[in-house]
Amino acid sequence: QVQLVESGGGSVEAGGSLRLSCAASGRFAKLNVLAWHRQAPGSQRELVASVTFGGITTIGDSVKGRATITRDNAKNTIELEMNSVKPEDTANYICYANALISTGFSHDYSGQGSQVIVSS
């Protein structure tokens, strides 16, 4: 089992910045991928940013150029920084992990999410 605890989020004004943190804990061999997804009411869940154990990052099209994801493998944490936020960035931001549990067996986990509201 992997537990993911998000922090940060809340309300931010359009044009400002936000920072979200996620800490993973539990029993696993390796966290293959850590990522932030988001889901707005009535919309599908989408990738915001991801980072592999080796440090390869992927940034979602809707936040490209505005978002940065960083990872600390020693602490099993990730941080998301996003600037120039827009009202359409309002969503529940969910921490995600693909964890190697044992040889040949990986599993996906998601946190409870952290609500972000961007006001214009």
Side-chain angles (χ1 to χ4, degrees), residues 1-2 24-31 76 99-101:
Q1 282 281 11
V2 176
S25 62
R27 298 188 65 178
F28 50 86
K30 186 174 76 171
L31 295 170
N76 294 318
L100 179 67
I101 303 303

Side-chain angles (χ1 to χ4, degrees), residues 9-102:
S11 296
V12 61
E13 291 187 359
S17 300
L18 65 85
R19 177 180 290 181
L20 298 171
S21 300
C22 175
S25 62
R27 298 188 65 178
F28 50 86
K30 186 174 76 171
L31 295 170
N32 296 317
V33 177
L34 289 170
W36 286 100
H37 295 162
R38 70 184 183 185
Q39 188 165 20
S43 299
Q44 287 190 329
R45 180 163 161 166
E46 66 170 344
L47 172 71
V48 179
S50 68
V51 55
T52 67
F53 184 84
I56 298 172
T57 61
T58 300
I59 306 297
D61 288 340
S62 60
V63 299
K64 200 159 288 185
R66 300 188 293 123
T68 303
I69 186 168
T70 55
R71 175 171 177 160
D72 186 329
N73 286 334
K75 297 179 180 179
N76 294 318
T77 59
I78 54 170
E79 283 200 351
L80 175 73
E81 292 192 39
M82 191 185 308
N83 54 39
S84 302
V85 297
K86 308 172 185 179
E88 50 263 45
D89 292 321
T90 295
N92 189 37
Y93 284 70
I94 304 160
C95 184
Y96 160 89
N98 176 268
L100 179 67
I101 303 303
S102 60

